[in-house]
Amino acid sequence: MHLDHDPAAPAADAIAFDDFLKVDIRIGTVISAEPYPEARKPSVKLQIDFGPAIGVKKSSAQIAALYDPAALVGRQVAAVVNFPPRQIGKMISEVLTLGFADTEGRVVLFAPDTPVPNGSRLF
């Protein structure tokens, strides 16, 4: 599937509310982050704590252009937690960390503006 990162692109086709509910987007806190030079695009390996119900999950996020891995530890991020795991280079990415493209196409992380409990679901 190709995602259009152009802010001028038209909205995607309408979906049913039940389809939206199938996408499980949760908040977690980054507990470790390290460069991931083996990925095709500049990426960071993350371990994210989503609380007791989901636990700690791994993610390969294409965020190296804007984020120093050391500065990510302790930061809350949003991620889709119910996609199947995906092979990214040599690692298995278990969740899709969410972000938006800036004017230069770099990924800006999506997160709450105040802390919320790990595992909180987007609604």
Side-chain angles (χ1 to χ4, degrees):
M1 170 199 308
H2 171 73
L3 297 177
D4 194 336
H5 300 296
D6 178 1
D13 293 338
I15 62 171
F17 187 69
D18 286 345
D19 292 329
F20 169 73
L21 292 176
K22 293 176 186 176
V23 181
D24 193 352
I25 300 172
R26 304 282 182 124
I27 287 296
T29 299
V30 176
I31 59 172
S32 76
E34 59 186 71
Y36 189 35
E38 298 89 358
R40 280 186 286 138
K41 295 185 180 181
S43 299
V44 176
K45 285 187 208 180
L46 302 172
Q47 286 198 32
I48 307 167
D49 181 0
F50 290 99
I54 296 171
V56 174
K57 299 292 182 182
K58 297 180 289 188
S59 180
S60 172
Q62 296 175 359
I63 58 175
L66 292 178
Y67 298 95
D68 172 28
L72 291 168
V73 175
R75 179 186 176 121
Q76 286 195 302
V77 296
V80 176
V81 299
N82 66 331
F83 283 154
R86 190 170 176 194
Q87 185 84 38
I88 307 290
K90 295 180 180 180
M91 78 171 279
I92 299 291
S93 188
E94 300 173 301
V95 299
L96 175 65
T97 305
L98 299 176
F100 294 93
D102 69 7
T103 57
E104 297 177 33
R106 301 171 300 187
V107 177
V108 177
L109 288 169
F110 178 66
D113 57 1
T114 59
V116 296
N118 286 340
S120 294
R121 186 171 181 176
L122 178 76
F123 63 92

